[in-house]
């Protein structure tokens, strides 16, 4: 039992969770202005776009694929929202249209990957450029800011004087759905198999292509939801909203221990990674660390996040090897 | 226990009282072995008996904890594989690793090509030296041909040629025949005989007993890391050898029960996949084991893949219990009661990084579910139940399958599919690369399944297995079904004649 506790301790997602707690505690005690409720609500609010996209991205990376077009889908969604608002449509009509647009964007990625058998990295770099280009065509260089105040208040406000933004609550619901989908349903179980060995999954009757298509579509939907949130949260719909967000999402997800090669990781780890990244960015801003230096830190974290889980796994493999070795001597030889 | 020859040549390489432990596991205990020039020496034993450790000790990969390695009678210490290679010891593995984009000659002389002035590679000399090696082995392979696309058999020949180019005097062949066809095995054996006549010592490992008797003069048997015997093969029977390997009499390698065949369970009609197989029709009845024989590449595996749905077919139809299957849909085939134990257990049968529990669980994602969520208790008990039924040897059900031996991995694949309660079971090379004890277990299991009314289609390149287990033998040749032979008429001759296209259906 002590052995299994040790083995758990070297699991990377646990390491990241512990790291997040350490960073939060250190920041509370040593960083001026970190602990007050307003700053914390900023931290959460600014991290929410990364967190929202990280949910489907985690499932996608577990299944061995990736979507780099998410930030462009978000930008396109925001741009279309702004353009339609300028046309005089109501926001209640616009939001479903934008979400549908996200579904279409995701579906295009998914079909290119599953029907044509193209690598998702290449496909989504292509659509990253394409979706962003369309966003610019739709909205040009305008910035639309006059959205209805109740929506802006919801996206930017917090509950009373607490540190919890309103938008955090629906996120928790989506998080719960994603955790259950990945870790407690047959669908999620089969994603791990697909990511670890697509061929073996196919031979076990798992409908690999259909699953990937669903994942890309949901990712598109979540990206457009994020685009809508982004435009309302910052009260600005521009074609270049959320530019570069995909790198933060991928960095955070990998930092959270999701294996880039697929088949390994937990949503808990991924979300810990997201908020670790968010907390570090917040602390650096409070300390007046320049934006350029922040990017350097994010880059270093990304490299560490790829390296860390591998080191952790090697430690636990070595441990398991020793365990298996000592177990097989005592195992009865029955055949 | 050690065999000491008082006459004849001295051993070129010997192990004396070697022990080697990994943690608490004693992989080898006081094992001795002598390899003589001009002799093919078999190393026999079940999976986990210590054969690999012994080979790796000879090849300088492992250093023994106790005992000596004697080269020409002199105690030697190999500091690594390079030391052993320089001493003239070469290992030929089951699946060689060549550089696919380099030519045969370049592969053989990698890193030590003959040079011309200014350090330029002398292609002509490389070519000539390779040609000479091929002639010495009595095979025709173009030295300039790239390694990509060579059959595994040809790749092994290249490895052997490479070993000879290092002046290897001791060749260790680790299950070289596992992936070869009959004629390829014959050619390999020709090469081995040539080497023997030229005075090489060969250590030969194979799970196929008939091969050991065919090519070897002496056999050393290991069991649980200990030396059981080292003796001439002359006068020994297969049963003797099996007894030494498993430590008891094996009930029977082919325990086929007679079963009255029932209704047709699997019906394949005029199935065609363009360029792969053509117009294949056959039935498998409940209670039957139908063997599907043929040379590697005849299209047997491809038919199985299409029937199961991982590949699409272009024409024809497949029915299970009279219900047509959807083209290219494994999930509907599974739902209809079809199971396929695929050829390549590491790539297709198992997710190697996943636990035993989850691998078996993969086929139960529709059944071990409560209110749309995984029922972990049900999943675990289903997996445990089948792992125990098939006597899989493991430490914990949560261990990943890559910690298991090949035979136990195959049992996990079988468990995974038997857990679905199939009506029709297709097994593709069910006993390839697994030891004789486990092989007998698998055969007993297949026989029992048939007796319980399952229709079994067994693809195998192991002819004795086909003849020993099948009620009927279907034979494929170049993508077509060329013969259907009842058990009473099935012999090596009739099956091979159809497999090589010498007999019409």
């Amino acid at each position: 039992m002590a052995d299994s506790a040790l083995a758990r301790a070297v699991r990377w997602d646990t390491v990241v969770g512990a790291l997040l707690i350490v960073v939060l505690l250190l920041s509370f005690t040593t960083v001026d202005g970190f602990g007050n409720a307003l700053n914390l609500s900023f931290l959460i609010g600014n991290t929410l776009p990364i967190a929202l996209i990280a949910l489907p991205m985690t499932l996608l990376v577990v299944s061995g694929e990736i979507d780099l077009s998410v930030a462009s889908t978000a930008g396109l969604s925001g741009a279309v929202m702004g353009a339609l608002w300028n046309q005089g449509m109501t926001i209640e009509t616009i939001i479903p249209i934008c979400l549908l647009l996200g579904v279409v964007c995701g579906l295009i990625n998914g079909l290119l990957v599953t029907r044509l058998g193209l690598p998702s990295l290449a496909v989504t770099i292509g659509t990253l450029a394409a979706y962003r280009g369309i966003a610019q065509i739709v909205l040009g260089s305008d910035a639309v800011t006059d959205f209805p105040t109740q929506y802006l208040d919801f996206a930017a406000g917090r509950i009373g004087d607490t540190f919890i933004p309103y938008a955090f609550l629906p996120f928790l619901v989506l998080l719960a759905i994603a955790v259950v989908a990945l870790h407690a349903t047959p669908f999620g179980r089969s994603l791990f198999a697909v990511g670890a060995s697509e061929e073996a999954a196919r031979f076990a009757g798992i409908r690999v292509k259909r699953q990937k298509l669903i994942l890309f579509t949901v990712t598109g939907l979540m990206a457009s939801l994020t685009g809508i949130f982004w435009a309302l949260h910052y009260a600005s719909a521009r074609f270049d909203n959320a530019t570069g967000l995909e790198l933060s999402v991928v960095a955070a997800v990998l930092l959270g221990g999701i294996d880039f090669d697929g088949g390994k990781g937990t949503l808990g780890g991924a979300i810990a990674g997201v908020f670790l990244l968010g907390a570090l960015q917040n602390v650096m801003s409070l300390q007046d660390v320049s934006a350029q230096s922040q990017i350097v830190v994010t880059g270093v974290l990304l490299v560490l996040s790829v390296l860390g889980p591998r080191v952790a796994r090697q430690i636990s493999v070595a441990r398991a090897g020793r365990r298996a070795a000592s177990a097989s001597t005592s195992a009865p030889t029955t055949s | 226990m050690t065999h000491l020859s008082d006459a004849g040549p001295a051993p070129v390489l010997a192990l004396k009282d070697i022990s080697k432990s990994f943690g608490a596991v004693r992989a080898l205990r006081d094992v001795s072995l002598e390899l003589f020039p001009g002799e093919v020496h078999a190393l026999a034993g079940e999976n986990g008996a210590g054969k690999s450790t012994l080979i790796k000790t000879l090849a300088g990969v492992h250093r023994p904890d106790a005992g000596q390695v004697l080269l020409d009678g002199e105690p030697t210490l190999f500091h690594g594989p390079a030391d052993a290679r320089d001493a003239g010891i070469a290992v030929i593995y089951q699946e060689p690793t060549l550089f696919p984009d380099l030519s045969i000659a370049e592969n053989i002389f990698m890193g030590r090509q003959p040079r011309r002035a200014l350090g330029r590679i002398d292609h002509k000399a490389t070519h000539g030296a390779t040609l000479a090696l091929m002639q010495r082995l009595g095979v025709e392979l173009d030295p300039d041909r790239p390694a990509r696309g060579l059959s595994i058999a040809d790749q092994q020949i290249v490895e052997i040629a490479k070993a000879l180019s290092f002046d290897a005097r001791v060749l260790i062949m680790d299950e070289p025949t596992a992936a070869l066809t009959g004629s390829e095995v014959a050619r390999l054996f020709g090469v081995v005989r040539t080497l023997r006549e030229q005075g090489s010592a060969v250590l030969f490992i194979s799970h196929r007993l008939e091969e050991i008797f065919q090519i070897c003069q002496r056999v050393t048997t290991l069991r649980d890391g200990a030396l059981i015997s080292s003796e001439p093969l002359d006068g020994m029977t297969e049963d003797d050898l099996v007894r030494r390997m498993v430590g008891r009499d094996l009930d029977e390698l082919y325990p086929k029960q007679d079963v009255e065949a029932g209704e047709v369970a699997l019906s394949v009609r005029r199935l065609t996949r363009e360029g792969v197989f053509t117009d294949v029709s056959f039935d498998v009845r409940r209670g039957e084991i139908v063997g599907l024989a043929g040379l590697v590449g005849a299209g047997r595996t491809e038919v199985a893949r299409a029937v199961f749905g991982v590949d699409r077919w272009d024409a024809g139809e497949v029915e299970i219990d009279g219900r047509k299957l959807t083209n290219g849909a494994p999930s509907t085939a599974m739902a209809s009661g079809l199971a396929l134990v695929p050829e390549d257990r590491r790539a297709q049968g198992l997710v190697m990084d996943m636990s035993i529990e989850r691998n078996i669980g993969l086929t139960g994602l529709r059944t071990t579910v409560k209110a749309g969520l995984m029922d972990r208790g049900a999943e675990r008990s289903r997996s445990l139940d089948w792992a125990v039924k098939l006597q899989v040897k493991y430490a914990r059900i949560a261990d990943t399958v890559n910690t298991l031996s090949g035979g136990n991995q195959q049992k996990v694949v079988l468990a995974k599919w038997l857990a679905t309660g199939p009506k029709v079971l297709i097994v593709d090379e069910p006993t390839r690369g697994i030891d004789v004890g486990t092989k007998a277990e698998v055969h007993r299991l297949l026989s029992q399944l048939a007796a319980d009314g399952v229709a079994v289609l067994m693809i195998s390149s192991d002819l004795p297995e086909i003849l020993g287990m099948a009620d009927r033998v279907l034979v494929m040749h170049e993508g077509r079904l060329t013969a259907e032979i009842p058990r009473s008429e099935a012999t090596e001759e009739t099956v091979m004649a159809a497999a090589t296209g010498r007999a019409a259906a």
Side-chain angles (χ1 to χ4, degrees):
Chain A
M1 282 301 103
D3 189 40
S4 79
L6 265 174
R8 273 178 64 84
V10 294
R11 271 177 48 172
W12 183 254
D13 50 355
T14 336
V15 173
V16 174
L19 215 56
L20 174 61
I21 292 170
V22 169
V23 166
L24 288 179
L25 287 179
L26 275 177
S27 307
F28 270 115
T29 50
T30 62
V31 179
D32 277 343
F34 180 83
N36 70 63
L38 185 64
N39 179 59
L40 289 177
S41 77
F42 284 158
L43 189 168
I44 296 175
N46 290 336
T47 312
L48 270 181
I50 304 176
L52 281 168
I53 301 184
L55 299 179
M57 187 71 84
T58 298
L59 273 65
L60 207 50
V61 177
V62 162
S63 79
E65 302 290 344
I66 198 163
D67 184 348
L68 295 181
S69 72
V70 283
S72 297
T73 305
L76 175 59
S77 192
V80 168
M81 181 168 143
L84 293 181
W85 178 252
N86 280 348
Q87 303 272 315
M89 266 197 202
T90 65
I91 199 99
E92 289 76 17
T93 333
I94 293 172
I95 288 179
I97 291 175
C98 288
L99 293 178
L100 192 65
L101 182 68
V103 167
V104 172
C105 288
L107 207 56
I108 291 172
N109 288 334
L111 287 172
L112 287 171
V113 170
T114 58
R115 299 297 140 187
L116 301 184
L118 304 173
S120 55
L121 197 70
V123 165
T124 59
I125 285 177
T127 53
L128 177 156
Y131 297 161
R132 184 67 73 184
I134 298 170
Q136 189 166 11
I137 293 169
V138 168
L139 198 57
S141 53
D142 294 354
V144 181
T145 57
D146 54 347
F147 295 112
T149 44
Q150 68 268 33
Y151 283 91
L152 296 177
D153 288 348
F154 175 80
R158 55 183 171 136
I159 303 172
D161 281 336
T162 66
F163 63 91
I164 302 170
Y166 290 118
F168 192 58
L169 300 179
F171 165 74
L172 286 182
V173 174
L174 292 171
L175 172 63
I177 293 173
V179 167
V180 169
L182 182 62
H183 295 296
T185 65
F187 177 78
R189 184 62 57 81
S190 59
L191 290 183
F192 284 97
V194 169
S197 170
E198 184 167 334
E199 198 179 6
R202 232 154 52 85
F203 272 87
I206 292 167
R207 299 164 77 173
V208 176
K209 287 184 177 176
R210 197 183 67 147
Q211 288 195 339
K212 289 189 170 171
L213 194 60
I214 292 172
L215 283 184
F216 275 107
T217 308
V218 171
T219 305
L221 175 68
M222 288 296 288
S224 84
L225 182 69
T226 305
I228 295 166
F229 172 73
W230 183 290
L232 294 174
H233 182 72
Y234 297 109
S236 168
R238 288 172 50 89
F239 81 90
D240 61 353
N241 272 6
T243 299
L245 190 69
E246 72 280 346
L247 283 184
S248 297
V249 173
V250 171
V253 164
L254 296 186
L255 179 62
I258 310 299
D259 194 320
F260 190 68
D261 296 331
K264 285 195 186 71
T266 64
L267 245 173
I271 291 305
V274 167
F275 281 97
L276 181 57
L277 193 68
L280 289 174
Q281 282 175 352
N282 180 271
V283 167
M284 287 189 288
S285 297
L286 288 176
Q287 304 283 49
D288 290 328
V289 175
S290 71
Q292 291 86 337
S293 307
Q294 288 194 26
I295 294 174
V296 173
V297 172
T298 310
V300 170
L301 270 180
L302 182 56
V303 174
L304 281 183
S305 65
V306 183
L307 197 66
R310 269 162 220 261
V311 174
R313 197 168 322 124
Q314 251 156 23
I315 293 172
S316 68
V317 161
R319 212 183 288 278
R322 275 206 296 282
R323 197 179 64 221
S326 56
S328 65
T329 42
S330 54
T333 44
T334 41
S335 73
Chain B
M1 287 220 274
T2 319
H3 168 87
L4 288 172
S5 59
D6 36 24
V12 50
L13 182 65
L15 296 178
K16 194 159 181 289
D17 301 328
I18 292 282
S19 293
K20 175 76 188 173
S21 298
F22 298 99
V25 183
R26 299 190 64 190
L28 291 176
R29 284 176 284 177
D30 297 328
V31 172
S32 300
L33 175 78
E34 292 180 325
L35 299 178
F36 295 94
E39 189 172 83
V40 185
H41 193 125
L43 185 60
E46 292 192 276
N47 289 341
K51 300 190 301 276
S52 317
T53 311
L54 188 143
I55 294 168
K56 286 180 179 162
T57 307
L58 285 173
V61 177
H62 292 327
R63 213 181 292 182
D65 299 333
Q68 288 178 318
V69 180
L70 301 169
L71 189 67
D72 294 321
E74 294 295 318
T76 317
L77 191 60
F78 295 138
H79 293 284
D83 275 5
R85 189 190 63 199
D86 294 341
I89 299 164
V91 185
I92 313 295
Y93 292 100
Q94 190 177 328
E95 282 173 20
T97 45
L98 300 177
F99 299 102
D101 293 315
L102 297 185
S103 73
I104 290 176
E106 284 164 332
N107 265 291
I108 290 175
F109 290 99
M110 189 71 226
R112 52 198 177 93
Q113 292 92 339
R115 297 294 170 88
R116 292 162 58 194
L118 303 174
R120 290 169 301 159
I121 291 173
D122 187 342
H123 287 288
K124 210 180 234 173
T126 313
H127 181 96
T130 307
L131 213 54
L133 286 170
M134 292 300 166
Q135 276 163 1
R136 209 176 131 193
L137 292 174
V139 292
E140 286 178 10
L141 280 178
D142 177 2
D144 294 329
R145 198 197 142 147
R148 187 183 299 284
L150 286 179
S151 68
I152 286 180
D154 286 342
Q155 293 179 40
Q156 285 173 345
I157 300 284
V158 174
E159 287 282 357
I160 294 173
K162 188 172 174 178
L164 289 186
S165 73
F166 277 105
D167 294 321
R169 296 178 297 157
V170 179
L171 269 168
I172 300 167
M173 308 181 84
D174 189 3
E175 289 196 55
T177 59
L180 304 194
T181 63
S183 59
E184 288 172 335
V185 171
R187 186 179 66 160
L188 179 71
F189 283 4
V191 169
V192 171
R193 288 197 188 93
T194 310
L195 291 170
R196 190 188 72 202
E197 281 154 19
Q198 290 169 0
S200 298
V202 179
L203 185 65
F204 180 84
I205 292 99
S206 174
H207 282 306
R208 300 187 188 163
L209 300 183
E210 69 274 12
E211 290 179 354
I212 290 181
F213 282 91
Q214 226 179 320
I215 192 80
C216 303
Q217 286 78 53
R218 184 177 290 280
V219 60
T220 293
T221 313
L222 298 179
R223 189 166 73 227
D224 298 330
L227 179 69
I228 299 303
S229 71
S230 191
E231 60 204 311
L233 270 162
D234 251 1
M236 262 177 95
T237 65
E238 288 199 8
D239 286 344
D240 295 335
L241 185 53
V242 168
R243 205 174 302 119
R244 285 169 180 67
M245 286 164 63
V246 300
R248 60 187 161 81
D249 281 314
L250 206 59
D251 306 336
E252 213 185 335
L253 190 50
Y254 305 112
K256 177 74 181 84
Q257 309 171 31
D258 277 327
V259 180
E260 189 81 17
E263 288 142 38
V264 171
L266 170 67
S267 172
V268 175
R269 286 285 157 267
R270 310 206 59 143
L271 206 64
T272 300
R273 181 175 160 86
E274 238 179 332
V276 183
F277 55 84
T278 309
D279 199 13
V280 173
S281 301
F282 61 88
D283 290 334
V284 184
R285 295 169 176 277
R286 291 167 63 86
E288 257 190 329
I289 298 181
V290 174
L292 183 50
L295 304 179
V296 171
R300 301 169 299 167
T301 296
E302 290 73 9
V303 169
R305 289 172 61 116
V307 167
F308 186 67
V310 287
D311 293 338
R312 297 181 69 83
W313 64 73
D314 297 320
E317 55 191 44
V318 179
E319 286 180 2
I320 288 190
D321 283 350
R323 279 181 46 207
K324 279 187 189 139
L325 290 189
T326 316
N327 192 356
S331 52
T332 59
M334 278 171 73
S336 311
L338 179 61
L340 169 66
V341 172
E343 180 183 31
D344 184 342
R345 65 174 163 263
R346 298 179 62 85
Q348 300 164 344
L350 297 169
V351 180
M352 297 303 287
D353 281 345
M354 259 194 181
S355 67
I356 303 164
E357 176 184 353
R358 300 234 161 146
N359 265 289
I360 298 176
L362 274 187
T363 55
L365 294 180
R366 279 192 183 73
T367 49
T368 52
V369 174
K370 226 191 243 167
L373 302 182
M374 289 301 297
D375 182 344
R376 294 205 181 168
E379 183 187 27
R380 168 155 292 211
S381 66
R382 175 181 180 271
S383 297
L384 267 173
D385 187 30
W386 282 98
V388 169
K389 265 187 203 159
L390 297 194
Q391 299 179 12
V392 179
K393 277 191 254 170
Y394 59 88
R396 295 182 192 186
I397 194 87
D399 287 343
T400 56
V401 290
N402 54 21
T403 61
L404 301 179
S405 70
N408 279 302
Q409 286 175 0
Q410 186 69 346
K411 284 188 189 174
V412 174
V413 184
L414 281 162
K416 167 182 166 181
W417 285 107
L418 296 186
T420 65
K423 294 178 201 158
V424 178
L425 175 67
I426 304 178
V427 287
D428 195 351
E429 305 288 1
T431 63
R432 175 184 286 173
I434 66 181
D435 64 72
V436 66
T438 311
K439 196 168 170 174
E441 277 180 63
V442 170
H443 289 155
R444 194 156 41 244
L445 190 72
L446 292 177
S447 178
Q448 187 57 47
L449 285 168
D452 292 343
V454 177
V456 180
L457 178 67
M458 183 179 75
I459 300 172
S460 176
S461 298
D462 184 347
L463 213 43
E465 177 171 88
I466 290 269
L467 299 175
M469 293 300 298
D471 293 301
R472 274 187 297 142
V473 183
L474 304 172
V475 189
M476 282 187 75
H477 172 64
E478 292 181 352
R480 286 175 184 275
L481 214 51
T482 50
E484 176 175 341
I485 309 170
R487 184 177 178 84
S488 55
E489 291 166 29
T491 62
E492 298 219 1
E493 290 72 30
T494 53
V495 174
M496 281 316 290
T500 51
R502 279 184 280 127

